[in-house]
Amino acid sequence: MGNRVIREDFEWVYTDQPHSQRRKEILAKYPEIKSLMRHDPQLKWIVSGMVFTQLLACYLVKDLSWKWIFFWAYAFGGCINHSLTLAIHDISHNVAFGNKQAKWNRWFAVFANLPIGLPYSASFKKYHIDHHRYLGGDILDVDIPTDFEGWFFCTPPRKVVWLILQPLLYALRPLYVNPKPITRMEVYNALVQFIVDLVIYYLWGLKPVIYLVAGSILCMGFHPISGHFIAEHYMFLKGYETYSYYGPLNWITFNVGYHMEHHDFPSIPGSRLPLVKKIAAEYYDNIPQHTSWVRVLWDFIVEDTIGPYSRVKRIFKLTDDKD
């Protein structure tokens, strides 16, 4: 085990993000993939079942001791909440009701947000668009750690702390790197969320609220499912900035592991991404991929070649120079 990450900066490149060109090539060869670009009618029922499961859990945990509150938050409720954040990720691409029902998608994301305990969906939507459009973009893609994160969290113990702090860093990083005006939908998201939190507190007390919030924070931090945060875009091999994972955890994460496929075709619901891989197999079978999110976390911690600096960055010019 190394003592310190040897990288001292990001991997700066001067090429466009690769997914736009790949998308053109794949569609030219397999135009039938366009038929997969439609909403997923099952998504709303699956998400609704998860939301109501968590509301039932709130009732069941109201009389538990605190140690069991945190145990079930980490082992059960937090897993559902993390899965709901990935449902919100899917919904942000309008796959719940289709592009013609954008408002329905936005409000359904607010509904999916309820068990998470803190408002999340509207802000995620606002920044996630930039992550796809400007993948690796300096300042624009707030999925990339800050220079401070890369400099400070450079040893195995510090990287463990960094993984634990992931929820906090994901929440605060956009406000520091690329702050945007608060939207009306973010206000609605917060109002609805806090009203529901207060109703749960009024009905069943503080423990169910802590169960929801603690589960979200714990399972988006140092948890096996959170391996996808590192697996998706951290550069484990030079020259590759997006990776897929095809293991069983996709069953409870809306196929977020099919991440190369997702960035190639963000308008295709997660439930149909395995079909993309099957149709265009030669584009996905022979590129680097992860086999375990737990192994990803382990390698991230112990390898001195990998750390928060292990990301590809590029400069995007957003305005035309008229001079």
Side-chain angles (χ1 to χ4, degrees), residues 13-33:
V13 299
Y14 302 94
T15 57
D16 292 334
Q17 64 133 315
H19 296 284
S20 298
Q21 183 59 35
R22 283 170 53 86
R23 183 183 309 119
K24 292 178 182 178
E25 292 180 11
I26 294 173
L27 286 178
K29 190 171 184 179
Y30 300 106
E32 62 267 32
I33 286 179

Side-chain angles (χ1 to χ4, degrees), residues 164-203:
I164 293 171
L165 293 177
Q166 282 274 39
L168 179 64
L169 296 171
Y170 264 81
L172 297 181
R173 191 186 298 141
L175 304 178
Y176 171 76
V177 175
N178 187 19
K180 295 184 177 185
I182 296 175
T183 66
R184 183 178 299 177
M185 199 67 213
E186 286 179 288
V187 174
Y188 294 155
N189 185 190
L191 286 174
V192 171
Q193 184 63 60
F194 292 134
I195 288 172
V196 170
D197 289 346
L198 287 171
V199 169
I200 292 173
Y201 173 76
Y202 176 78
L203 292 175

Side-chain angles (χ1 to χ4, degrees), residues 62 74 76 167 170 172-173 203 218 230 259 303 314:
K62 63 185 177 65
Y74 187 82
F76 177 74
Y170 264 81
L172 297 181
R173 191 186 298 141
L203 292 175
L218 291 172
I230 307 300
H259 215 68
E303 294 291 337
R314 48 175 59 86

Side-chain angles (χ1 to χ4, degrees), residues 22-318:
R22 283 170 53 86
R23 183 183 309 119
K24 292 178 182 178
E25 292 180 11
I26 294 173
L27 286 178
K29 190 171 184 179
Y30 300 106
E32 62 267 32
I33 286 179
K34 291 182 181 179
S35 67
L36 304 177
M37 299 176 183
R38 62 186 192 277
H39 81 284
D40 179 0
Q42 300 301 317
L43 183 60
K44 59 181 176 291
W45 304 116
I46 295 171
V47 169
S48 296
M50 296 168 69
V51 171
F52 288 117
T53 295
Q54 280 292 72
L55 291 178
L56 175 61
C58 285
Y59 171 77
L60 295 175
V61 304
K62 63 185 177 65
D63 296 320
L64 293 181
S65 64
W66 283 108
K67 66 178 181 181
W68 287 110
I69 292 289
F70 288 103
F71 172 81
W72 288 114
Y74 187 82
F76 177 74
C79 297
I80 294 180
N81 284 2
H82 196 143
S83 185
L84 283 169
T85 68
L86 296 172
I88 291 169
H89 164 258
D90 234 17
I91 297 165
S92 73
H93 294 284
N94 293 334
V95 301
F97 296 95
N99 289 321
K100 293 182 179 180
Q101 301 289 345
K103 287 187 178 180
W104 284 54
N105 286 284
R106 300 292 81 75
W107 280 106
F108 188 64
V110 171
F111 172 72
N113 194 145
L114 296 180
I116 295 170
L118 298 169
Y120 163 83
S121 63
S123 297
F124 175 82
K125 165 72 175 178
K126 182 170 68 174
Y127 285 100
H128 189 62
I129 294 172
D130 288 345
H131 172 62
H132 277 270
R133 186 177 298 162
Y134 309 115
L135 180 64
D138 184 37
I139 298 176
L140 300 172
D141 185 357
V142 297
D143 186 64
I144 296 176
T146 62
D147 282 302
F148 172 79
E149 291 171 65
W151 168 77
F152 184 77
F153 297 103
C154 59
T155 64
R158 292 185 187 185
K159 284 191 278 186
V160 170
V161 173
W162 185 78
L163 291 171
I164 293 171
L165 293 177
Q166 282 274 39
L168 179 64
L169 296 171
Y170 264 81
L172 297 181
R173 191 186 298 141
L175 304 178
Y176 171 76
V177 175
N178 187 19
K180 295 184 177 185
I182 296 175
T183 66
R184 183 178 299 177
M185 199 67 213
E186 286 179 288
V187 174
Y188 294 155
N189 185 190
L191 286 174
V192 171
Q193 184 63 60
F194 292 134
I195 288 172
V196 170
D197 289 346
L198 287 171
V199 169
I200 292 173
Y201 173 76
Y202 176 78
L203 292 175
W204 301 314
L206 180 62
K207 288 181 178 179
V209 178
I210 297 299
Y211 162 80
L212 294 177
V213 176
S216 300
I217 294 173
L218 291 172
C219 284
M220 291 184 70
F222 196 59
H223 192 278
I225 298 178
S226 292
H228 79 86
F229 287 125
I230 307 300
E232 291 165 0
H233 296 294
Y234 283 78
M235 193 178 63
F236 282 73
L237 289 175
K238 187 176 178 65
Y240 294 92
E241 58 185 296
T242 306
Y243 300 79
S244 284
Y245 154 82
Y246 303 117
L249 287 177
N250 280 302
W251 300 342
I252 59 172
T253 57
F254 295 91
N255 283 332
V256 74
Y258 288 76
H259 215 68
M260 180 71 80
E261 294 84 347
H262 171 63
H263 271 265
D264 287 349
F265 300 100
S267 61
I268 296 179
S271 61
R272 299 196 188 107
L273 292 178
L275 292 175
V276 174
K277 181 180 184 296
K278 182 178 180 180
I279 293 170
E282 70 271 26
Y283 284 90
Y284 301 108
D285 287 349
N286 299 316
I287 56 178
Q289 57 191 247
H290 294 294
T291 58
S292 167
W293 282 342
V294 174
R295 178 60 186 269
V296 165
L297 291 174
W298 174 260
D299 288 346
F300 179 83
I301 292 168
V302 303
E303 294 291 337
D304 59 9
T305 58
I306 306 172
Y309 267 141
S310 300
R311 290 292 295 264
V312 170
K313 290 191 78 172
R314 48 175 59 86
I315 299 292
F316 282 91
K317 293 183 179 180
L318 299 184

